[in-house]
Amino acid sequence: MQSYAKSRIKILYRQICLHNILYQFAILSVKNNEDILFLKALGQKIKKIRTEKGYTQAQLSADLGMEISQISRIERGVVNTSVLNLKKIASLLNVSIKDLFGSL
Amino acid sequence: MQSYAKSRIKILYRQICLHNILYQFAILSVKNNEDILFLKALGQKIKKIRTEKGYTQAQLSADLGMEISQISRIERGVVNTSVLNLKKIASLLNVSIKDLFGSL
């Protein structure tokens, strides 16, 4: 029974790895490298401002009415978010939308 | 036959009017007034920069590989576009993405 569980976990782990590879490939296929770097820099700037202002992702999520996973994806730069989402984040963090772009 | 055609046109016209009203209502229901004004100001700024640089919507559309109707919707502020679309537009117009936001 224990070895059965182990083999199930192994299969599951492989499936997750494969899923991740396919997911990364899907991202890469629609965005070029410059876009990926841009979204990453934007996400890092948002995270920097959020932590400086003492906000957690959970607080931001609750105040914005946005899924916490969505906030996380924006900060990791893996999602091409909308301009109104950026405006909402900027308003809540009490900065201008331009500030989110830092030196971009 | 002529009066039949007239009545068909009348019905079609009414359907278009109704469709437009429902469409406007759909837009209003998902965006609040502040968001609408924000998108309109952003669109106007993009249009201003584009015309100053001597670009037509058709040229922008061709160079960006984006539908001309999409460019038009962004400039009219009726669409909540993505940050990568704004980056593309800014790059092509040779300005910083921050410049698109003007005094927003």
Side-chain angles (χ1 to χ4, degrees):
Chain A
M1 183 62 197
Q2 209 180 13
S3 84
Y4 172 75
K6 266 188 191 170
S7 78
R8 290 297 300 164
I9 289 170
K10 228 172 185 172
I11 291 167
L12 195 64
Y13 177 73
R14 277 185 198 154
Q15 283 176 338
I16 291 169
C17 288
L18 184 65
H19 174 266
N20 273 342
I21 291 166
L22 289 174
Y23 179 66
Q24 292 299 330
F25 183 74
I27 289 177
L28 284 169
S29 63
V30 292
K31 295 184 203 123
N32 64 41
N33 199 40
E34 204 189 311
D35 290 346
I36 292 171
L37 293 177
F38 176 86
L39 291 179
K40 277 200 187 301
L42 174 63
Q44 279 163 4
K45 184 72 186 173
I46 291 171
K47 186 175 185 174
K48 190 171 175 282
I49 297 173
R50 173 180 63 74
T51 50
E52 275 171 7
K53 299 261 176 179
Y55 261 95
T56 64
Q57 282 192 345
Q59 285 168 326
L60 206 67
S61 157
D63 289 354
L64 289 175
M66 205 186 275
E67 290 281 330
I68 193 164
S69 58
Q70 180 71 356
I71 306 277
S72 168
R73 278 196 291 268
I74 293 172
E75 289 191 354
R76 282 181 291 129
V78 294
V79 69
N80 178 14
T81 196
S82 73
V83 65
L84 282 185
N85 274 348
L86 291 181
K87 177 182 162 281
K88 275 187 200 169
I89 292 171
S91 297
L92 197 73
L93 296 176
N94 208 21
V95 293
S96 142
I97 191 164
K98 288 178 181 177
D99 296 331
L100 300 186
F101 293 101
S103 56
L104 285 170
Chain B
M1 184 60 197
Q2 208 179 14
S3 84
Y4 172 75
K6 266 189 191 169
S7 78
R8 290 296 301 164
I9 289 170
K10 227 173 189 174
I11 290 167
L12 195 64
Y13 178 72
R14 276 185 199 155
Q15 282 177 339
I16 291 169
C17 288
L18 184 66
H19 174 266
N20 272 342
I21 291 166
L22 289 174
Y23 179 68
Q24 292 299 329
F25 183 75
I27 289 177
L28 285 169
S29 64
V30 292
K31 295 185 203 120
N32 64 41
N33 200 39
E34 203 189 313
D35 289 347
I36 292 170
L37 292 177
F38 175 86
L39 291 179
K40 277 200 188 302
L42 175 63
Q44 279 162 5
K45 184 70 187 172
I46 291 171
K47 187 175 184 174
K48 189 172 175 283
I49 296 174
R50 174 181 62 75
T51 50
E52 276 171 7
K53 300 261 177 178
Y55 260 95
T56 64
Q57 282 192 346
Q59 284 168 324
L60 207 65
S61 157
D63 289 353
L64 288 174
M66 206 186 275
E67 291 281 329
I68 194 164
S69 58
Q70 180 71 355
I71 307 277
S72 168
R73 277 196 292 269
I74 292 172
E75 289 192 354
R76 282 181 291 129
V78 294
V79 69
N80 179 14
T81 195
S82 73
V83 66
L84 283 185
N85 274 347
L86 291 181
K87 176 182 162 281
K88 275 187 200 169
I89 292 171
S91 296
L92 197 72
L93 296 177
N94 208 21
V95 294
S96 141
I97 192 164
K98 288 178 180 177
D99 296 332
L100 300 186
F101 293 101
S103 56
L104 285 170

